[in-house]
Amino acid sequence: MSNRCEGKVAIVTGGARGQGERIVATLAGEGCSVVIGDVLDDEGKAVADALGQNTIYTHLDVTDPAGWSDAVALATSVFGGVDILVNNAAIYRKQLHEDETVAELDRILDVNLHGPFLGIQAVIPAMRARGGGSIVNVSSLAGTTSYPAHGSYSMSKWALRGLTRTAAIELAASNIRVNAVLPGNIRTTMSPTTAAPDGEAPTGLKRQADPQETANVVLFLASDDASFVNGTDLVADGGSLLG
């Protein structure tokens, strides 16, 4: 442990399992106090209990502005503020464009895009009160290239990159950095096998990423190690975009 986040407070959405759980554990292991936000209450409470007193769980539907206000208030009352926001919560669904419905498109956009939008809005005052902060949006390789049956998911992840850059410009004067991580194929409950999504080229490293490898990238952007990194897309795909 190098304590790269000593004294900082983070909110991590979708932190109850998979990639989010690894992000929570990694930040906590570097000295960060963490509020886990998720809708999976039993799993989220178990993660918080396992990591100890500097990690707490709160039920957070990222599409609910009131839920965001409660999460920020909790982080402030228990830990003293908010320095880091990791917008990790997302839903994944494959559907051909001709078969997609507006209802399902709206559902994906609500979680994957509106959730981070609301989260950024919610933490701005708390981060300004602390003199700045770091926001990390977890996009996807599907936000920079195309795969069959990924129209709605890709739309949400491409748009998240645009939100990231706009927020980075607007918040720079407040010393709030906003960056995006674009993971490739990760071995989680969303993609548990070694098979890549349909149409995705195998990574240059010829394997899936372990969730810890993506968590390490998030840690870098969240920490002061990336103090001059702002408005950036950091691709962590093992080289699959190389062809």
Side-chain angles (χ1 to χ4, degrees):
M1 185 173 69
S2 61
N3 293 322
R4 280 181 282 179
C5 294
E6 185 71 31
K8 296 186 183 296
V9 181
I11 298 174
V12 179
T13 67
R17 66 181 181 183
Q19 181 63 70
E21 186 276 333
R22 277 290 86 207
I23 293 170
V24 170
T26 299
L27 292 174
E30 292 285 340
C32 192
S33 299
V34 185
V35 174
I36 303 168
D38 210 311
V39 295
L40 302 173
D41 294 337
D42 291 341
E43 293 94 329
K45 291 173 184 175
V47 172
D49 290 344
L51 292 174
Q53 63 181 355
N54 287 333
T55 305
I56 57 175
Y57 172 79
T58 187
H59 184 91
L60 174 59
D61 175 352
V62 297
T63 69
D64 178 19
W68 274 110
S69 296
D70 290 344
V72 172
L74 179 65
T76 302
S77 63
V78 176
F79 296 130
V82 180
D83 304 287
I84 297 165
L85 169 64
V86 182
N87 281 311
N88 170 75
I91 55 176
Y92 173 75
R93 178 173 178 269
K94 294 198 298 183
Q95 183 65 274
L96 291 173
H97 190 100
E98 61 187 303
D99 298 324
E100 187 60 283
T101 66
V102 172
E104 287 296 339
L105 170 63
D106 286 345
R107 180 169 174 264
I108 287 177
L109 292 178
D110 277 348
V111 176
N112 297 6
L113 181 60
H114 298 167
F117 175 86
L118 293 172
I120 293 170
Q121 279 190 328
V123 301
I124 289 171
M127 286 188 173
R128 282 179 175 152
R130 301 273 278 189
S134 175
I135 298 170
V136 183
N137 295 324
V138 181
S139 180
S140 168
L141 204 61
T144 193
T145 189
S146 302
Y147 305 116
H150 279 66
S152 297
Y153 182 75
S154 288
M155 186 188 301
S156 70
K157 294 301 187 177
W158 277 89
L160 184 56
R161 294 174 59 207
L163 173 63
T164 298
R165 295 189 179 197
T166 301
I169 293 171
E170 293 182 359
L171 299 177
S174 298
N175 194 34
I176 299 172
R177 298 181 295 107
V178 189
N179 293 288
V181 177
L182 280 62
N185 196 259
I186 308 170
R187 188 174 61 255
T188 67
T189 52
M190 275 191 180
S191 184
T193 72
T194 56
D198 294 344
E200 181 179 338
T203 67
L205 297 178
K206 306 299 182 186
R207 62 176 177 80
Q208 285 183 301
D210 184 271
Q212 186 63 54
E213 293 175 295
T214 303
N216 291 340
V217 178
V218 173
L219 169 64
F220 166 69
L221 291 175
S223 75
D224 291 339
D225 287 350
S227 58
F228 205 59
V229 181
N230 191 34
T232 292
D233 298 326
L234 207 166
V235 176
D237 71 339
S240 65
L241 287 179
L242 298 176

